Amino acid sequence: MFDVYRNGKRDLLVLSTGSVIPVTYSANKWSTSRKRVRKVSDEIKSAVQRQGYYVRSLRGTKERMIKVE
């Protein structure tokens, strides 16, 4: 299972359940999602296994949608 966090900058942090937030990201204020996630994509799963965490910025999504329209 995985814990999912988000911050005010629209960043997403995925950790395996019970893991501590990495030092490089501990300065940000993270809020946890209400539910634990059981399944994630293969990309996220492999990143969590390799690095211990997965981080993605959701800010670029809105900008790309504006340019496409």
Side-chain angles (χ1 to χ4, degrees):
M1 297 210 343
F2 299 91
D3 291 329
V4 178
Y5 298 88
R6 63 186 190 297
N7 66 8
K9 296 179 183 179
R10 295 190 51 150
D11 293 334
L12 183 70
L13 174 66
V14 180
L15 302 169
S16 58
T17 302
S19 296
V20 180
I21 295 175
V23 176
T24 54
Y25 298 102
S26 62
N28 296 337
K29 187 172 183 178
W30 296 95
S31 58
T32 184
S33 66
R34 295 180 188 203
K35 297 181 183 178
R36 286 194 175 135
V37 178
R38 292 180 187 214
K39 265 185 138 174
V40 294
S41 70
D42 291 335
E43 176 188 354
I44 294 173
K45 188 184 292 185
S46 65
V48 170
Q49 288 175 348
R50 259 185 291 116
Q51 302 173 208
Y53 63 91
Y54 174 81
V55 177
R56 182 174 73 193
S57 176
L58 300 175
R59 287 176 271 169
T61 307
K62 187 176 180 181
E63 293 171 6
R64 276 187 253 133
M65 288 174 56
I66 292 170
K67 289 179 183 177
V68 170
E69 295 177 342

